[in-house]
Amino acid sequence: MFPRMRRRTTVQSLITVATALLLIVGTARSLLDNFTLKSNDRQIFQFYSEPEVYRQRRPVFASSKDQIGESCNVSGGKWIWDNKTYPVYTEESCPYLSNQTCCQRNGRPDSFHQKWRWQPDGCNLPWFDPLKLLDILSGKRLMFIGDSIQRGQFESMVCMVQSVIPEGKKSFQTIPTMEIFKAEEYNASIEFYWAPFIVESISDHATNHTVLKRLVYLDSITNQGKSWQGVDMLVFESYAWWIHGSSDDIKEYNVTTAYRWALETWANWLESNINPLTQKVYFMSMSPKHLRSWEWKPGSNENCFNESYPIQGSYWGTGSSFTIMKIIQDILQELKIDVTFLNITQMSEYRKDAHTSVYGERRGIPLTKEQRADPKKFADCMHWCLPGVPDTWNEILYAHLLQNHRNFL
């Protein structure tokens, strides 16, 4: 009798404990659901539709698979043909592309340049997930600052993200010196700020600026800096406007001295205005030009026009300056705050095939039929088609944003 009573008592105790646990779990779940439904905080859960519908999204966190190791040099590698997963968007799917970057819309007959994937040596870039990026950007601002090359990277990032945002939940606004894309439900923005020299100049109006005559105020940055204060993630770039035209037309010493002075002014502004606990700063290396085909095809005398494939093997053209690269590295090493240097120059050097060439615009106007027939004079071998190379730059930026997000968590 006593053994049976002990067993019955044990069973009853287990039932009591199990019931209590179910009540606790149920109460906790109810509290969590209530918190989730009432909160618009997107750091934990996301919703595909408007907040009042309360349809739960999957949690989006940066995992260990999204990491790039410290030993991973993403700037070294090769371009791999990948027509199954690239491009990640099309001209037709993204209404935010400018005419300058829409090469196929402007008559380019092939799309080969869209279907190459960058493969770093010894490691992999994480696959771009727009929902993860929106999770990181929730309640934040990501701003690209620079010239028209940087505007192309801005447009690329908008196109890579916008497809997962429902209609009516996104907006695009152009104001003087700025373009702003907003993901309304996430309270997130991706922005572009026109500042071709970073410091102040007479070319600081985004559309009404002089190209041939340039006056740069090397020690002045206050006016632009007011628009950068408090921005969560700042991505700077400045090169093309310093070295514009052939290298025979400029005095290299004067340019490099002025460039160093400008970056010192920028560095002083960063140290006085950036809170490293809440803000992240990135600096893009120079975007190369492909003006002289003899550099990759000895004996020829053309440019990037009619090129369909990347350069194979080692290559560094005259469109990029080691001296400027050294100045950037020196300034960043002397800074008292951390700035992440995104070296996209070498990988872009191989891509003679991906420029807008005669399939873009010249000062906001599409090339005429006669101009397209004269690529030696009118081909643009500085700007990039989209989809294209700037998408890879953003994949690298995305990898660093994920890494920083994971470290923060």
Side-chain angles (χ1 to χ4, degrees):
M1 178 178 178
F2 291 107
R4 279 200 300 270
M5 288 181 62
R6 283 196 296 269
R7 284 195 295 271
R8 187 180 300 119
T9 301
T10 301
V11 171
Q12 289 175 343
S13 298
L14 290 174
I15 292 174
T16 301
V17 171
T19 302
L21 287 173
L22 287 172
L23 288 172
I24 292 171
V25 171
T27 301
R29 177 61 183 271
S30 176
L31 289 172
L32 179 59
D33 288 344
N34 188 53
F35 167 78
T36 303
L37 293 177
K38 291 183 178 179
S39 174
N40 284 330
D41 187 345
R42 314 204 61 87
Q43 293 180 354
I44 300 176
F45 292 107
Q46 299 177 329
F47 298 83
Y48 281 115
S49 52
E50 21 220 19
E52 61 266 25
V53 175
Y54 302 135
R55 183 150 59 102
Q56 183 175 320
R57 285 183 178 173
R58 60 183 177 85
V60 182
F61 298 111
S63 69
S64 58
K65 294 181 180 180
D66 296 315
Q67 293 187 79
I68 49 174
E70 294 182 1
S71 61
C72 179
N73 177 20
V74 297
S75 63
K78 59 184 176 180
W79 291 96
I80 303 293
W81 177 256
D82 185 354
N83 61 346
K84 294 183 178 179
T85 53
Y86 286 85
V88 296
Y89 62 90
T90 64
E91 289 183 10
E92 293 75 18
S93 69
C94 185
Y96 306 108
L97 288 174
S98 63
N99 288 330
Q100 184 181 40
T101 61
C102 291
C103 296
Q104 289 192 291
R105 184 191 305 169
N106 292 326
R108 178 163 177 162
D110 72 287
S111 60
F112 296 149
H113 61 284
Q114 301 178 356
K115 300 171 183 178
W116 295 89
R117 172 174 56 84
W118 179 249
Q119 177 60 58
D121 292 331
C123 56
N124 295 306
L125 288 173
W127 177 251
F128 186 90
D129 185 335
L131 287 176
K132 286 187 178 181
L133 180 61
L134 287 170
D135 181 63
I136 293 170
L137 296 182
S138 178
K140 295 182 173 61
R141 299 169 64 193
L142 168 64
M143 182 183 287
F144 293 87
I145 299 162
D147 54 28
S148 53
I149 301 295
Q150 191 75 331
R151 183 194 285 123
Q153 186 177 359
F154 156 76
E155 291 182 11
S156 163
M157 182 65 88
V158 170
C159 290
M160 294 170 78
V161 167
Q162 66 87 29
S163 63
V164 299
I165 305 173
E167 292 298 328
K169 297 296 181 181
K170 52 192 172 184
S171 64
F172 193 95
Q173 182 183 14
T174 300
I175 59 178
T177 73
M178 291 188 68
E179 296 177 28
I180 304 170
F181 172 83
K182 288 186 177 180
E184 307 289 352
E185 195 182 1
Y186 291 84
N187 189 28
S189 66
I190 302 173
E191 308 173 24
F192 168 72
Y193 188 97
W194 172 265
F197 295 99
I198 296 183
V199 293
E200 295 172 20
S201 75
I202 62 172
S203 303
D204 287 342
H205 192 285
T207 56
N208 184 22
H209 54 253
T210 176
V211 175
L212 299 177
K213 182 181 178 181
R214 303 174 186 194
L215 178 63
V216 183
Y217 305 101
L218 297 174
D219 57 353
S220 183
I221 199 172
T222 304
N223 288 337
Q224 288 105 316
K226 292 176 182 177
S227 299
W228 310 338
Q229 288 180 335
V231 176
D232 303 278
M233 305 157 195
L234 296 158
V235 186
F236 290 91
E237 176 271 341
S238 182
Y239 175 66
W241 279 63
W242 296 93
I243 314 286
H244 190 75
S246 69
S247 58
D248 299 330
D249 298 332
I250 62 173
K251 294 182 179 179
E252 185 73 13
Y253 176 80
N254 290 338
V255 168
T256 54
T257 300
Y259 191 84
R260 180 182 291 276
W261 191 346
L263 283 198
E264 288 174 349
T265 300
W266 167 75
N268 290 334
W269 182 89
L270 291 179
E271 292 178 348
S272 300
N273 292 274
I274 294 296
N275 182 351
L277 297 179
T278 59
Q279 296 173 278
K280 291 295 297 182
V281 182
Y282 303 86
F283 195 95
M284 306 295 298
S285 68
M286 67 190 71
S287 170
K289 296 180 281 188
H290 294 88
L291 303 174
R292 305 173 180 89
S293 64
W294 57 262
E295 293 182 354
W296 61 84
K297 190 189 300 179
S300 62
N301 188 28
E302 304 297 331
N303 50 34
C304 67
F305 173 70
N306 211 27
E307 294 286 352
S308 298
Y309 299 96
I311 296 171
Q312 301 296 320
S314 61
Y315 174 79
W316 185 279
T318 56
S320 301
S321 169
F322 283 115
T323 305
I324 294 293
M325 290 282 279
K326 181 64 166 57
I327 291 173
I328 297 171
Q329 292 172 351
D330 290 345
I331 297 296
L332 296 186
Q333 288 176 355
E334 295 168 3
L335 267 171
K336 297 176 182 177
I337 65 171
D338 289 334
V339 174
T340 302
F341 181 56
L342 302 181
N343 189 352
I344 53 85
T345 304
Q346 182 62 80
M347 69 177 63
S348 306
E349 283 281 3
Y350 301 126
R351 297 305 306 274
K352 60 180 173 57
D353 59 308
H355 291 288
T356 54
S357 183
V358 296
Y359 307 110
E361 292 183 336
R362 191 178 181 90
R363 299 181 183 177
I365 302 174
L367 297 184
T368 65
K369 190 174 182 180
E370 292 73 23
Q371 288 173 327
R372 289 184 183 177
D374 187 6
K376 189 74 179 294
K377 182 177 180 180
F378 290 100
D380 179 351
C381 297
M382 178 175 67
H383 294 96
W384 304 91
C385 299
L386 291 177
V389 171
D391 302 333
T392 300
W393 302 349
N394 281 325
E395 288 177 343
I396 294 172
L397 173 60
Y398 169 74
H400 284 279
L401 292 173
L402 276 175
Q403 184 76 13
N404 294 331
H405 183 65
R406 177 177 170 80
N407 290 342
F408 176 78
L409 290 176

